[in-house]
Amino acid sequence: MQKPLLETLKGNPGDKVPFWFMRQAGRYLPEYKEVRATTKSFMEFCYSPDKAAEVTLQPIRRYNMDGAILFADILVVPDGLGQKVWFEAGHGPKLSAVSDEKSFSDLSMASFHDNVGPVYDTVARLKNALPADKTLLGFAGAPWTVATYMVEGAGSKDHGAARQMGYGNPGLFSRILDMLVDATSQYLSRQIEAGADAVQIFDSWAAALPEPAFDAWVIEPTKAIVDRVRADHPDTPIIGFPRLSGAQYERFVKETGVDAVSLDTGVPLDWAAKKLQPSVCVQGNIDPHLVVAGGAPMVDEANRVLESLKSGPHIFNLGHGFVPETPPENVGLLSETIKAFRR
Ligand code: CP3
């Protein structure tokens, strides 16, 4: 049986537009909260294959999306390298900051695959559990976005600590990025070997970097990962997401060699259709806050997105992940709108 989402990623779109949503598993779903409540630590939850597989499947049962995204987190990679990672309610992620040579020397690949092994088990379970027409998506954070958390020791508004290290101590910063390229390439290849049909690299904080920094911290590490994963798995599509990178999207697509690119809410659609879609599949890009509002404005915007991108390969998605206050019935209406559309 064909997987419509995977076919579209490979440049063979059908008459329906396949869809999935970033953060489709998560706190807007009561059934997610129920399973989540059985494990105190979020990282431990990510490393529980039975629970992680269950919450991955929950949104598919409700809405019948074409793609299921593995439930885990981008911070699994620094955790696997030996950095302490934990989540505090109301404060988001916390990490033991990698701020100098000494803290960097605590990280290593030695136990990486053992540490993150439960994630590969989750993928293998999903491979068995998913209907044959569904595409299983693996993922990882891009080195730049993951490094912003590693260097800051937390989430931050402008990623000042990582930018300052990148400019002020480029030697150390590039060694952090190199280690992330190595870990992330292996991590994605293992997900593919466990059953992922395609993978997405999330560069959520690629915004507002000057061109030379965008080249060194976003494009080069992403290209290195694409090259390495593709060498082992030439047929597995790779989706990039350089969120909020504006006109630099175009260079990102050309230079990294990704098969598809996820559009943030601010990317103009006629521009994407003209400049990006001729060479890659595009994904996106409805505003997640419009799905909180719901109703006719959401349906109209979904149809505008579908119409604007119908002349090339398009996967419907959000411009960023669902927020916890999203009413589940609005996700239902959005899903029905996409399913009713024909290219
Ligand atoms: O999309 C999915 O449904 C798959 C699972 C997934 C999660 N995180 C689950 C999660 C994916 C793909 C991610 C990626 C991720 N994690 C990104 C990149 C995508 C993006 O949203 O920009 C980033 C930046 C992170 C880091 C992270 N993890 C943050 C900032 C938070 C929120 C902290 C908070 O408490 O609000 C998380 C935690 C997290 N990851 C949750 C979920 C469902 C919520 C925590 C919970 O349920 O207890």
Side-chain angles (χ1 to χ4, degrees), residues 20-27 32 36 42 69-75 87-88 90 92-93 139 145 149 202 204-205 243 320-321:
W20 67 281
F21 302 119
M22 290 188 250
R23 290 277 170 101
Q24 63 188 22
R27 287 172 289 190
Y32 169 86
R36 176 70 188 87
F42 179 70
I69 181 154
L70 160 71
F71 188 89
D73 196 81
I74 62 165
L75 299 180
F87 283 78
E88 285 173 11
F139 77 92
T145 287
Y149 290 96
F202 287 86
S204 303
W205 309 127
R243 194 170 78 91
H320 198 199

Side-chain angles (χ1 to χ4, degrees), residues 192-204:
I192 294 165
E193 285 148 27
D197 298 306
V199 293
Q200 176 153 325
I201 303 171
F202 287 86
D203 223 341
S204 303

Side-chain angles (χ1 to χ4, degrees), residues 41-57:
S41 143
F42 179 70
M43 293 307 285
E44 195 186 319
F45 186 59
C46 290
Y47 292 137
S48 305
D50 52 341
K51 294 177 189 177
E54 167 59 20
V55 300
T56 301
L57 295 168

Side-chain angles (χ1 to χ4, degrees), residues 166-239:
Y167 296 128
N169 191 351
L172 177 60
F173 195 62
S174 70
R175 272 182 290 141
I176 296 174
L177 293 180
D178 287 347
M179 181 180 264
L180 286 170
V181 165
D182 191 29
T184 306
S185 312
Q186 295 189 36
Y187 181 59
L188 290 174
S189 283
R190 293 280 188 114
Q191 291 181 31
I192 294 165
E193 285 148 27
D197 298 306
V199 293
Q200 176 153 325
I201 303 171
F202 287 86
D203 223 341
S204 303
W205 309 127
L209 290 175
E211 286 176 281
F214 190 77
D215 284 344
W217 306 341
V218 173
I219 291 185
E220 279 178 32
T222 303
K223 177 177 172 20
I225 293 170
V226 169
D227 288 348
R228 286 179 55 172
V229 172
R230 194 165 284 151
D232 290 340
H233 303 286
D235 298 327
T236 305
I238 302 173
I239 310 168

Side-chain angles (χ1 to χ4, degrees), residues 273-291:
K274 234 190 271 150
K275 299 282 190 183
L276 307 176
Q277 230 177 356
S279 50
V280 287
C281 172
V282 298
Q283 182 173 268
N285 73 341
I286 198 168
D287 187 340
H289 296 283
L290 184 49
V291 187

